[in-house]
Amino acid sequence: MLGRLRTLAAALAVTVTLGVGTAQAQGHDRAAKPTKRVYNSMQFAHPSAPDAFCTIGAVGTDAHGRKIAISAGHCGGSGSYADREIPENDLPVYDRQDFDYGPIGYIRYFKSPEGSMTGHATKDYMVIELVPWVTLSSQGPYLKQTGMVEVPGGAPSPNAVSPARDDERLLGASLFDNNELVVSGQLGVWYGRVTNNSRGVYQCHAPHQAGDSGGPAIWHVPGSAYPSEANGFKAEGPWAGITKARILGIPPYVYTSSANILADLRARDEADPADIFGGGFKVTTNP
């Protein structure tokens, strides 16, 4: 996985000299292009390295009305762009299945891995500002996201400022909890119980592989249908997190909670009077 992610970061860096001028030039012929739908599970990459890709975990809008996608922070690598707002159009994001369309957005923030092979422990996320002319959709190929998971009375995310909101609280993983994640990636659609919750990083039997980083995880609403051949392997539920990494453990699959991401976005927004990309993020309700 690491090799792919480093390649993705390098490919994005190649575009630094193109910058805003390229974005403006591409805007002139935008009216001639068809509308593109952007959704969870969409893979993104740079044309110079199509096999170095990551995946979108959720799409929606922020408090300023901008169209936003969330993915994994470690997909951005490290360097001078890490841990800061990136107002420059230096790091474009392309739909891996449609490079000819041009950028669907630009990376505006990512958390540096800080030396960890699996990314920053609790803040491993990326904010992508999507271009205004794409259409947001809550429906991925298999997963439909119905808002954000809320856990009234749950333990607050370690990133939360007090008092934590309900969507900044963590799913329980104790013996008497039965919280399950449903995930979608290259291996198909899987679900599994949250067996451990380490500071808002969920451990789960639902598998993933390299390139799925940043991809979607929803909470299985008790009583709702599980993905199966009978329903086309589809499921719906509130956004609960994104794919993070594989670790040495049982199960080896871990996911960054949506609570950790939302809590850190709010904490950064309140701490800095500047305009924070992604602050107040809400999953789209568009079908």
Side-chain angles (χ1 to χ4, degrees):
M1 175 171 14
L2 221 16
R4 281 191 179 181
L5 299 178
R6 285 174 177 160
T7 307
L8 175 59
L12 293 172
V14 167
T15 63
V16 169
T17 56
L18 300 179
V20 177
T22 300
Q24 292 172 339
Q26 290 167 340
H28 292 310
D29 65 350
R30 188 55 50 197
K33 290 185 176 292
T35 299
K36 175 174 285 293
R37 191 174 65 93
V38 180
Y39 46 83
N40 72 75
S41 293
M42 177 181 280
Q43 295 172 349
F44 64 92
H46 191 271
S48 64
D51 291 329
F53 61 91
C54 283
T55 304
I56 289 176
V59 298
T61 54
D62 67 8
H64 301 277
R66 292 173 295 219
K67 296 178 178 179
I68 297 292
I70 302 293
S71 189
H74 63 259
C75 291
S78 56
S80 61
Y81 289 101
D83 304 314
R84 71 170 178 89
E85 300 299 302
I86 310 170
E88 311 90 352
N89 289 342
D90 288 349
L91 304 179
V93 169
Y94 294 77
D95 175 2
R96 184 172 176 246
Q97 306 303 322
D98 186 12
F99 289 127
D100 289 342
Y101 188 85
I104 60 170
Y106 297 87
I107 296 175
R108 297 305 189 199
Y109 178 85
F110 64 91
K111 185 64 179 173
S112 169
E114 297 185 355
S116 168
M117 290 187 66
T118 56
H120 189 281
T122 69
K123 302 176 183 179
D124 183 11
Y125 70 95
M126 171 188 291
V127 176
I128 300 166
E129 182 185 12
L130 299 169
V131 293
W133 46 85
V134 300
T135 299
L136 304 180
S137 176
S138 59
Q139 179 68 66
Y142 296 101
L143 302 185
K144 181 178 180 63
Q145 295 176 336
T146 58
M148 275 106 61
V149 69
E150 297 185 353
V151 189
S157 162
N159 302 334
V161 295
S162 185
R165 299 186 318 222
D166 286 347
D167 61 4
E168 298 171 349
R169 296 181 179 275
L170 307 173
L171 297 172
S174 68
L175 181 63
F176 298 105
D177 288 311
N178 192 32
N179 290 302
E180 296 173 298
L181 299 181
V182 187
V183 307
S184 174
Q186 298 167 87
L187 298 175
V189 184
W190 295 83
Y191 58 88
R193 182 177 172 273
V194 177
T195 62
N196 188 46
N197 171 7
S198 177
R199 293 171 55 79
V201 177
Y202 300 141
Q203 210 166 336
C204 179
H205 283 285
H208 56 255
Q209 65 181 31
D212 290 334
S213 287
I218 64 173
W219 181 62
H220 176 251
V221 178
S224 67
Y226 287 98
S228 67
E229 186 174 4
N231 60 23
F233 298 101
K234 294 188 176 182
E236 62 179 63
W239 178 51
I242 60 174
T243 299
K244 180 173 176 61
R246 290 174 293 189
I247 63 171
L248 294 176
I250 301 176
Y253 308 106
V254 293
Y255 297 85
T256 299
S257 65
S258 57
N260 277 7
I261 297 169
L262 295 171
D264 192 60
L265 282 171
R266 183 165 71 101
R268 291 196 301 110
D269 205 21
E270 292 185 3
D272 190 340
D275 189 4
I276 300 299
F277 289 96
F281 176 76
K282 298 286 186 183
V283 168
T284 183
T285 58
N286 291 340

